[in-house]
Amino acid sequence: MRNALSYYKVQFERNISFFTPDTHTIKKEIDITIFNEEMNEKYAIELKFPTNGQYPEQMYSFVKDVKFMEEVKDRGFTKTAAVVFVSDKLFYEGKLTKGIYKHFRNEFSLYGDVFKPTGMNKNVEFVTLSKKHEFTWESLDDQRKYYIIEIS
């Protein structure tokens, strides 16, 4: 990636404080940052590849990544994106289609208040997205799929 983007700095797990004094964000570290020396072009990417089930909690984590990318974009980044790869069909299909599942199994859209689906703060803690983010599950093969939500 660094060779392909030789005019940019590519960094992994960079703290948001490197780019802005406003660090009141849902997360602190950006998975991948790409920026030029003048810092007038900045890109951020959050990546997820869950491998241990925990479907509703991982889905909630996907929503948090989108919120974080909204926040990073609001702090001056040129573009941001949330990328999710899954190798288990229960992320994109299954009997449950209400609550958090509706976003990933039948609506293919993240928006509004999304409530934490399990644990102590179930249906109390939530993430509020400022925009509606539609996505399409793209197939890599019979089981593996991915989506990309770009915030520009």
Side-chain angles (χ1 to χ4, degrees), residues 15-131:
N15 195 292
I16 186 72
S17 64
F18 181 78
F19 300 100
T20 178
D22 182 1
T23 60
H24 293 92
T25 54
I26 197 164
K27 295 173 69 175
K28 297 300 174 206
E29 304 229 327
I30 304 167
D31 289 341
I32 301 173
T33 54
I34 303 164
F35 55 96
N36 63 2
E37 192 172 314
E38 297 80 22
M39 298 275 273
N40 60 3
E41 266 190 271
K42 298 179 285 202
Y43 305 91
I45 303 168
E46 283 295 297
L47 298 173
K48 282 285 184 286
F49 181 49
T51 57
N52 291 332
Q54 302 176 317
Y55 310 103
E57 279 301 315
Q58 288 296 328
M59 291 170 177
Y60 191 63
S61 181
F62 301 166
V63 175
K64 283 183 172 180
D65 280 357
V66 172
K67 177 64 177 177
F68 186 44
M69 290 296 91
E70 283 183 348
E71 293 171 334
V72 168
K73 176 74 172 93
D74 288 345
R75 283 157 180 80
F77 274 66
T78 309
K79 286 187 181 179
T80 66
V83 180
V84 171
F85 294 92
V86 298
S87 57
D88 190 326
K89 66 180 183 179
L90 290 175
F91 283 104
Y92 51 85
E93 63 183 48
K95 292 178 184 175
L96 299 175
T97 57
K98 294 192 187 302
I100 199 156
Y101 295 103
K102 73 179 180 183
H103 298 286
F104 299 95
R105 293 181 177 174
N106 62 345
E107 290 185 4
F108 313 113
S109 181
L110 302 176
Y111 56 89
D113 295 337
V114 180
F115 286 83
K116 184 171 175 24
T118 63
M120 278 182 49
N121 291 325
K122 177 181 178 178
N123 297 324
V124 176
E125 176 185 324
F126 61 93
V127 172
T128 301
L129 297 171
S130 61
K131 296 180 181 174

